[in-house]
DNA sequence: GTGAAAGCGCTAACAG
DNA sequence: CTGTTAGCGCTTTCAC
């Protein structure tokens, strides 16, 4: 039973092994230029003393925390949590840990978190917050290494990864049109999000291209992605004299709320009202009826974001890039 | 427009203000014993230079990272993400940030994460992993500050917060019995979790107390909390010659999968088969039929865990405590 | 009330 | 191949 002393310092190990601290450091960092025999001696002392390196000290010296900040508007949303897993997996692969921060999409909290970069508590950040709040951070982007994920403004010189929201929304609407629906409603989220604005544009253009009406009453804006928000929006929309016979929701959670509302209204889905969502979160396949939706490669979105950030950290002056990942329509029962 | 230089050191500020680094440090830490005039001078220089303290250095000096590790089996599960929010909110209130780690309930990964404590990269940890994997860490619990949340073994000398799983499961079963069901199935999760074992015990005892049969075929064990796992378990259970007319699932996700299976089987819920879940995640109110479930105070669970940990950090030798929070039956349409 | 100076534990030149 | 040494930027006695 070796005496466990996690607080033993590198000096203690050096003493025990009869070598210098520099040598211990070399061994601990797997650097070459150490005689195997010496290395073994050091390792023996390390286990004998139960030594663990103090990362605080190393961090100060190397000026790196090996922590990646991830700022999400809402960790509770299944869409975001899947992305976080993607980020986490590649971060860990590269020896980084992730610090998860729930910003509630508030600019204030976001910029407070950004201080973590300025104070060297994190090496880089991935931001999923509204592009409107990203703008505030754009000026410092050259100094502070961060990338945008899902939400991004191509005009900002910040690496990003996302999907083509305009085209994706168009695909959803065109699908609905192809299924014979003509009065198509939109449940949209917070317009501070560029994705919300882009999807609305896609919706509108697709409608127009098909020569269909795009009545303003058929568009509802909600300020959260809760199930209830989608439900209420749908309930309201359906009281309209000439209510939509199909609805496109910009998020699965909203769409699921819509399903719930339609059930309450005794509307048959998709016969009386069709529903299409966005994201393809796990639950989308389990609803009744199962949700037709635009799938986003959530995992890959997170992984790519982490890769971009890691790239940027490795080479700060590398050219800024933007990546668009493919989406696809997953047709189930609700349309 | 002040020259922003986040990498300015305390020495630069001292020079600029014409004071010593000690004084700057005092000002930065809001310590008293500094003349207001001096304080103002320093603050002026701080803003002039755009100084932000380097936390790496401070951390080394104070031997604290002000980071809390949170280890969850699966960040994607809505149950856990709500708890994480609770943790995050009180952590931030106290000047801590949280580092979220998805362990996949693997003992290996868990102990790797624990190294973050040993290497001073985190000050404390909150563990939501199976009590079976917690046992491995119990020995070091006196040295390494951590607390258990949701999953815990009262026998381990580690502070914990959770619910009375035994009683909660009994409540669910008694509710089903009261509604006239006699053949009650159980969809249980991974037995490495103490909560799974406790809930099973509660289920069994409640059945016995009512003089009802507890056939082994009516119990299904799944190895994940995915919707699909619940669905498949239910599908299998329902092929039984004398299938249950009610099922208690130890997690809402499992119960939702069950709902999906029953729909596929054309069984009316709750008339032909009633379903009760556990947790009361947000989606539970939106399913069809809306899910009856045992609600856990997820937010409070997370908040309490963080408080316990913070307490432990403030006073390492304080007595170990265990907290049980109340659960409650939320009756909706599925039973 | 303020300053000088000694480290925290590690890494990285630079010598040997 | 290994050792010596000078810091990283901050906090914290201990003087003044």
């Amino acid at each position: 039973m070796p005496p466990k002393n996690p607080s033993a310092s590198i000096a203690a190990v050096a003493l025990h092994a009869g070598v210098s601290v520099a040598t211990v450091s070399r061994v601990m960092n797997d650097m070459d230029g150490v005689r195997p025999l010496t290395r073994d001696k050091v390792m023996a002392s390390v286990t004998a003393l139960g030594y663990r390196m103090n990362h605080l000290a190393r961090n100060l010296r190397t000026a790196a925390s090996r922590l990646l900040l991830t700022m999400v508007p809402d960790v509770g949303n299944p869409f975001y949590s899947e992305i976080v897993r993607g980020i986490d997996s590649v971060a860990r692969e590269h020896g980084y840990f992730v610090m998860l921060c729930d910003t509630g999409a508030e600019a204030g909290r976001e910029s407070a978190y950004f201080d973590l970069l300025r104070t060297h508590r994190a090496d880089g950040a991935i931001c999923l917050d509204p592009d409107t709040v990203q703008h505030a951070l754009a000026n410092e982007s050259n100094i502070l290494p961060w990338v945008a994920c899902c939400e991004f403004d191509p005009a900002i010189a910040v690496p990003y990864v996302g999907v083509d929201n305009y085209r994706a929304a168009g695909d959803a609407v065109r699908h609905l049109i192809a299924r014979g629906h003509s009065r198509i409603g939109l449940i949209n989220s917070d317009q501070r999000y560029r994705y919300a604005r882009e999807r609305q544009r896609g919706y509108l253009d697709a409608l127009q291209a098909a020569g269909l009406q795009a009545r303003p009453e058929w568009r509802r804006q909600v300020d959260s992605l809760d199930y209830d928000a989608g439900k209420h929006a749908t309930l309201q929309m359906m009281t309209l004299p000439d209510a939509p016979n199909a609805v496109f929701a910009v998020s699965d959670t909203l769409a699921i709320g819509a399903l719930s509302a339609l059930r309450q209204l005794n509307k048959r889905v998709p016969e009386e009202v069709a529903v299409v969502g966005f994201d393809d979160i796990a639950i989308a396949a389990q609803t009744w009826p199962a949700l037709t939706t635009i799938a986003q490669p959530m995992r890959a979105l997170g992984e790519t974001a982490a890769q971009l950030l890691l790239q940027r950290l490795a080479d700060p002056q590398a050219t800024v890039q933007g990546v668009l990942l493919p989406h696809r329509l997953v047709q189930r029962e609700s349309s």
Side-chain angles (χ1 to χ4, degrees), chain A:
Chain A
M1 184 78 92
K4 291 286 177 202
N5 182 7
S7 58
S9 72
I10 203 173
V13 177
L15 192 68
H16 183 102
V19 298
S20 73
V21 292
T23 301
V24 177
S25 176
R26 287 186 189 106
V27 173
M28 294 307 291
N29 293 294
D30 279 323
M31 293 165 44
D32 38 32
V34 179
R35 199 149 34 109
L37 181 67
T38 318
R39 179 179 300 275
D40 292 347
K41 252 192 331 194
V42 171
M43 286 314 292
S45 299
V46 165
T47 39
L49 298 173
Y51 168 73
R52 331 287 306 209
M53 180 162 49
N54 182 335
H55 273 257
L56 293 183
R58 180 219 278 252
N59 290 347
L60 172 57
R61 192 52 230 234
T62 60
S65 63
R66 300 209 67 96
L67 250 36
L68 262 28
L69 184 64
T70 299
M71 293 175 291
V72 288
D74 174 13
V75 267
N77 189 310
F79 172 66
Y80 290 122
S81 48
E82 192 58 27
I83 290 173
V84 167
R85 298 173 93 179
I87 293 173
D88 191 51
S89 75
V90 351
R92 265 217 322 281
E93 240 167 54
H94 293 261
Y96 283 83
F97 284 99
V98 356
M99 227 157 116
L100 188 66
C101 295
D102 192 316
T103 60
E106 291 166 29
R109 253 150 99 187
E110 160 122 2
S111 90
Y113 284 130
F114 238 70
D115 257 4
L116 290 169
L117 290 187
R118 301 195 191 92
T119 57
H120 298 274
R121 300 185 65 181
D123 292 346
I126 296 171
C127 181
L128 312 216
D129 277 311
D131 79 322
T132 40
V133 351
Q134 292 186 5
H135 279 121
L137 311 166
N139 320 322
E140 307 187 79
S141 63
N142 10 14
I143 316 174
L144 270 19
W146 67 280
V147 303
C149 180
C150 301
E151 257 303 281
F152 59 90
D153 180 348
I156 304 183
V158 164
Y160 66 82
V161 57
V163 299
D164 185 336
N165 289 299
Y166 173 78
R167 209 153 59 72
D171 289 349
V173 172
R174 282 185 287 273
H175 160 75
L176 251 12
I177 294 171
R179 305 285 296 173
H181 299 94
S182 51
R183 301 195 309 282
I184 303 175
L186 172 72
I187 299 183
N188 203 353
S189 74
D190 204 322
Q191 296 285 300
R192 287 179 307 159
Y193 288 96
R194 184 187 196 85
Y195 80 75
R197 303 191 302 272
E198 286 292 293
R199 290 178 198 170
Q200 167 148 334
R201 216 165 51 80
Y203 157 89
L204 256 16
D205 286 3
L207 246 33
Q208 188 180 21
L212 256 29
Q213 281 190 75
R215 300 216 206 143
E217 321 88 84
W218 290 346
R219 295 200 290 277
R220 276 287 180 292
Q221 213 123 134
V222 298
D223 55 356
S224 103
L225 294 178
D226 289 351
Y227 300 112
D228 272 332
K231 183 171 184 171
H232 290 136
T234 307
L235 250 19
Q236 286 174 20
M237 208 186 291
M238 288 301 147
T239 62
L240 257 29
D242 198 18
N245 55 11
V247 4
F248 167 46
V250 300
S251 157
D252 283 350
T253 50
L254 259 19
I256 288 168
L259 252 23
S260 175
L262 293 169
R263 208 147 44 219
Q264 182 175 315
L265 262 19
N266 281 313
K267 299 273 185 193
R268 293 182 55 74
V269 177
E271 295 81 359
E272 296 178 69
V273 183
V275 176
V276 172
F278 206 111
D279 292 345
D280 195 27
I281 56 179
I283 187 99
Q286 309 291 335
T287 57
W288 187 77
L291 192 65
T292 292
T293 190
I294 300 284
Q296 292 200 63
M298 302 177 279
R299 190 81 189 216
L301 246 13
E303 290 170 346
T304 308
Q307 275 152 5
L308 290 180
L309 180 55
L310 257 16
Q311 247 171 266
R312 208 165 177 315
L313 289 176
D315 182 3
Q317 23 264 354
T319 26
V320 174
Q321 54 226 291
V323 182
L324 282 187
L325 262 27
H327 62 270
R328 73 176 209 291
L329 179 79
V330 177
Q331 192 182 345
R332 296 206 179 91
E333 305 160 357
S334 70
S335 73

CSV table of all heavy atoms in Angstrom, one decimal, chain A residues 123 140-147 157-159 308-321:
chain,number,residue,atom,x,y,z
A,123,ASP,N,-9.3,28.3,-22.4
A,123,ASP,CA,-8.5,28.6,-23.5
A,123,ASP,C,-9.2,29.0,-24.7
A,123,ASP,O,-8.7,29.7,-25.6
A,123,ASP,CB,-7.7,27.3,-23.9
A,123,ASP,CG,-6.7,27.0,-22.8
A,123,ASP,OD1,-6.4,27.8,-21.9
A,123,ASP,OD2,-6.1,25.8,-22.8
A,140,GLU,N,-13.7,41.5,-30.3
A,140,GLU,CA,-12.5,40.9,-29.6
A,140,GLU,C,-12.1,39.6,-30.2
A,140,GLU,O,-11.2,38.9,-29.7
A,140,GLU,CB,-12.9,40.7,-28.1
A,140,GLU,CG,-13.4,42.0,-27.5
A,140,GLU,CD,-13.6,41.8,-26.0
A,140,GLU,OE1,-12.6,41.9,-25.3
A,140,GLU,OE2,-14.7,41.6,-25.6
A,141,SER,N,-12.9,39.2,-31.2
A,141,SER,CA,-12.7,37.8,-31.7
A,141,SER,C,-11.2,37.5,-32.2
A,141,SER,O,-10.8,36.4,-32.1
A,141,SER,CB,-13.6,37.5,-32.9
A,141,SER,OG,-13.3,38.4,-34.0
A,142,ASN,N,-10.5,38.5,-32.6
A,142,ASN,CA,-9.2,38.3,-33.0
A,142,ASN,C,-8.3,38.0,-31.8
A,142,ASN,O,-7.3,37.3,-32.0
A,142,ASN,CB,-8.6,39.5,-33.8
A,142,ASN,CG,-9.5,40.7,-33.7
A,142,ASN,OD1,-10.4,40.7,-32.8
A,142,ASN,ND2,-9.3,41.7,-34.5
A,143,ILE,N,-8.6,38.5,-30.7
A,143,ILE,CA,-7.8,38.3,-29.5
A,143,ILE,C,-8.3,37.0,-28.8
A,143,ILE,O,-7.5,36.1,-28.4
A,143,ILE,CB,-7.9,39.4,-28.5
A,143,ILE,CG1,-7.9,40.8,-29.2
A,143,ILE,CG2,-6.9,39.3,-27.4
A,143,ILE,CD1,-8.1,41.9,-28.3
A,144,LEU,N,-9.6,36.9,-28.6
A,144,LEU,CA,-10.1,35.8,-27.9
A,144,LEU,C,-10.6,34.7,-28.8
A,144,LEU,O,-11.4,34.9,-29.7
A,144,LEU,CB,-11.3,36.3,-27.1
A,144,LEU,CG,-11.1,36.8,-25.6
A,144,LEU,CD1,-9.7,37.1,-25.4
A,144,LEU,CD2,-12.0,37.9,-25.3
A,145,PRO,N,-10.0,33.5,-28.6
A,145,PRO,CA,-10.3,32.4,-29.5
A,145,PRO,C,-11.7,31.8,-29.3
A,145,PRO,O,-11.9,31.1,-28.3
A,145,PRO,CB,-9.2,31.4,-29.3
A,145,PRO,CG,-8.7,31.7,-28.0
A,145,PRO,CD,-9.1,33.1,-27.6
A,146,TRP,N,-12.6,32.1,-30.2
A,146,TRP,CA,-13.9,31.4,-30.0
A,146,TRP,C,-14.5,31.1,-31.4
A,146,TRP,O,-14.1,31.7,-32.4
A,146,TRP,CB,-14.9,32.3,-29.2
A,146,TRP,CG,-15.3,33.6,-29.8
A,146,TRP,CD1,-14.6,34.7,-29.8
A,146,TRP,CD2,-16.6,33.8,-30.4
A,146,TRP,NE1,-15.4,35.7,-30.4
A,146,TRP,CE2,-16.6,35.2,-30.8
A,146,TRP,CE3,-17.7,33.1,-30.7
A,146,TRP,CZ2,-17.6,35.8,-31.4
A,146,TRP,CZ3,-18.8,33.7,-31.3
A,146,TRP,CH2,-18.7,35.0,-31.7
A,147,VAL,N,-15.5,30.2,-31.4
A,147,VAL,CA,-16.1,29.8,-32.6
A,147,VAL,C,-17.6,29.8,-32.4
A,147,VAL,O,-18.1,29.6,-31.2
A,147,VAL,CB,-15.7,28.4,-33.2
A,147,VAL,CG1,-14.2,28.4,-33.4
A,147,VAL,CG2,-16.1,27.3,-32.2
A,157,ALA,N,-16.2,37.7,-38.6
A,157,ALA,CA,-15.0,36.9,-38.9
A,157,ALA,C,-14.7,35.9,-37.8
A,157,ALA,O,-13.6,36.0,-37.2
A,157,ALA,CB,-13.8,37.9,-39.2
A,158,VAL,N,-15.6,35.0,-37.7
A,158,VAL,CA,-15.5,34.0,-36.6
A,158,VAL,C,-15.8,32.7,-37.3
A,158,VAL,O,-16.8,32.5,-38.0
A,158,VAL,CB,-16.4,34.3,-35.5
A,158,VAL,CG1,-16.6,33.1,-34.6
A,158,VAL,CG2,-15.9,35.5,-34.7
A,159,PRO,N,-15.0,31.7,-37.0
A,159,PRO,CA,-15.3,30.3,-37.6
A,159,PRO,C,-16.6,29.9,-37.1
A,159,PRO,O,-17.0,30.1,-36.0
A,159,PRO,CB,-14.1,29.5,-37.0
A,159,PRO,CG,-13.1,30.4,-36.6
A,159,PRO,CD,-13.7,31.7,-36.2
A,308,LEU,N,-13.0,23.0,-35.0
A,308,LEU,CA,-12.6,24.3,-35.4
A,308,LEU,C,-11.9,25.1,-34.3
A,308,LEU,O,-10.9,25.8,-34.6
A,308,LEU,CB,-13.9,25.1,-35.8
A,308,LEU,CG,-14.6,24.6,-37.1
A,308,LEU,CD1,-15.8,25.5,-37.3
A,308,LEU,CD2,-13.7,24.7,-38.3
A,309,LEU,N,-12.4,25.0,-33.1
A,309,LEU,CA,-11.8,25.8,-32.0
A,309,LEU,C,-10.4,25.2,-31.8
A,309,LEU,O,-9.5,26.0,-31.6
A,309,LEU,CB,-12.7,25.6,-30.8
A,309,LEU,CG,-12.2,26.3,-29.5
A,309,LEU,CD1,-11.9,27.8,-29.8
A,309,LEU,CD2,-13.1,26.2,-28.4
A,310,LEU,N,-10.3,23.9,-31.8
A,310,LEU,CA,-8.9,23.4,-31.5
A,310,LEU,C,-7.9,23.8,-32.6
A,310,LEU,O,-6.8,24.1,-32.3
A,310,LEU,CB,-9.1,21.8,-31.5
A,310,LEU,CG,-9.1,21.1,-30.1
A,310,LEU,CD1,-9.3,22.0,-29.0
A,310,LEU,CD2,-10.0,19.9,-30.1
A,311,GLN,N,-8.4,23.8,-33.8
A,311,GLN,CA,-7.6,24.3,-34.9
A,311,GLN,C,-7.1,25.7,-34.7
A,311,GLN,O,-6.0,26.0,-34.8
A,311,GLN,CB,-8.5,24.3,-36.2
A,311,GLN,CG,-8.1,23.3,-37.2
A,311,GLN,CD,-9.2,23.3,-38.3
A,311,GLN,OE1,-10.1,22.5,-38.2
A,311,GLN,NE2,-9.1,24.2,-39.3
A,312,ARG,N,-8.1,26.5,-34.3
A,312,ARG,CA,-7.8,27.9,-34.0
A,312,ARG,C,-6.8,28.1,-32.9
A,312,ARG,O,-6.0,29.0,-32.9
A,312,ARG,CB,-9.1,28.6,-33.7
A,312,ARG,CG,-9.2,30.1,-34.0
A,312,ARG,CD,-10.6,30.5,-34.0
A,312,ARG,NE,-10.8,31.9,-34.2
A,312,ARG,CZ,-10.1,32.9,-33.7
A,312,ARG,NH1,-9.1,32.7,-32.9
A,312,ARG,NH2,-10.4,34.2,-34.0
A,313,LEU,N,-6.9,27.3,-31.9
A,313,LEU,CA,-6.0,27.3,-30.8
A,313,LEU,C,-4.6,26.9,-31.2
A,313,LEU,O,-3.6,27.5,-30.8
A,313,LEU,CB,-6.4,26.4,-29.6
A,313,LEU,CG,-7.7,26.9,-28.9
A,313,LEU,CD1,-8.1,25.9,-27.8
A,313,LEU,CD2,-7.4,28.3,-28.3
A,314,ALA,N,-4.6,25.9,-32.1
A,314,ALA,CA,-3.3,25.4,-32.6
A,314,ALA,C,-2.6,26.4,-33.4
A,314,ALA,O,-1.4,26.6,-33.4
A,314,ALA,CB,-3.5,24.1,-33.3
A,315,ASP,N,-3.4,27.1,-34.3
A,315,ASP,CA,-2.8,28.1,-35.2
A,315,ASP,C,-3.7,29.3,-35.2
A,315,ASP,O,-4.6,29.4,-36.0
A,315,ASP,CB,-2.7,27.5,-36.6
A,315,ASP,CG,-2.1,28.5,-37.6
A,315,ASP,OD1,-1.7,29.6,-37.1
A,315,ASP,OD2,-2.0,28.1,-38.7
A,316,PRO,N,-3.4,30.2,-34.3
A,316,PRO,CA,-4.2,31.4,-34.1
A,316,PRO,C,-4.4,32.3,-35.4
A,316,PRO,O,-5.5,32.9,-35.5
A,316,PRO,CB,-3.5,32.2,-33.0
A,316,PRO,CG,-2.7,31.2,-32.3
A,316,PRO,CD,-2.3,30.2,-33.4
A,317,GLN,N,-3.5,32.3,-36.3
A,317,GLN,CA,-3.7,33.1,-37.5
A,317,GLN,C,-4.2,32.4,-38.7
A,317,GLN,O,-4.2,32.9,-39.8
A,317,GLN,CB,-2.4,33.9,-37.8
A,317,GLN,CG,-1.1,33.3,-37.4
A,317,GLN,CD,-0.7,34.0,-36.1
A,317,GLN,OE1,-1.4,34.9,-35.6
A,317,GLN,NE2,0.3,33.5,-35.4
A,318,ALA,N,-4.6,31.1,-38.5
A,318,ALA,CA,-5.1,30.4,-39.6
A,318,ALA,C,-6.4,31.1,-40.1
A,318,ALA,O,-7.0,31.8,-39.4
A,318,ALA,CB,-5.5,28.9,-39.2
A,319,THR,N,-6.7,30.8,-41.4
A,319,THR,CA,-7.8,31.5,-41.9
A,319,THR,C,-9.1,31.1,-41.3
A,319,THR,O,-9.3,29.9,-41.1
A,319,THR,CB,-7.9,31.3,-43.5
A,319,THR,OG1,-7.2,30.1,-43.8
A,319,THR,CG2,-7.2,32.5,-44.2
A,320,VAL,N,-10.0,32.0,-41.2
A,320,VAL,CA,-11.3,31.8,-40.6
A,320,VAL,C,-12.1,31.0,-41.6
A,320,VAL,O,-12.2,31.3,-42.8
A,320,VAL,CB,-12.0,33.1,-40.4
A,320,VAL,CG1,-13.4,32.9,-39.9
A,320,VAL,CG2,-11.2,33.9,-39.3
A,321,GLN,N,-12.8,30.0,-41.1
A,321,GLN,CA,-13.6,29.2,-42.0
A,321,GLN,C,-15.0,29.0,-41.5
A,321,GLN,O,-15.3,29.2,-40.3
A,321,GLN,CB,-13.0,27.8,-42.1
A,321,GLN,CG,-12.8,27.2,-40.8
A,321,GLN,CD,-11.4,26.5,-40.7
A,321,GLN,OE1,-11.1,25.5,-41.3
A,321,GLN,NE2,-10.5,27.2,-39.8
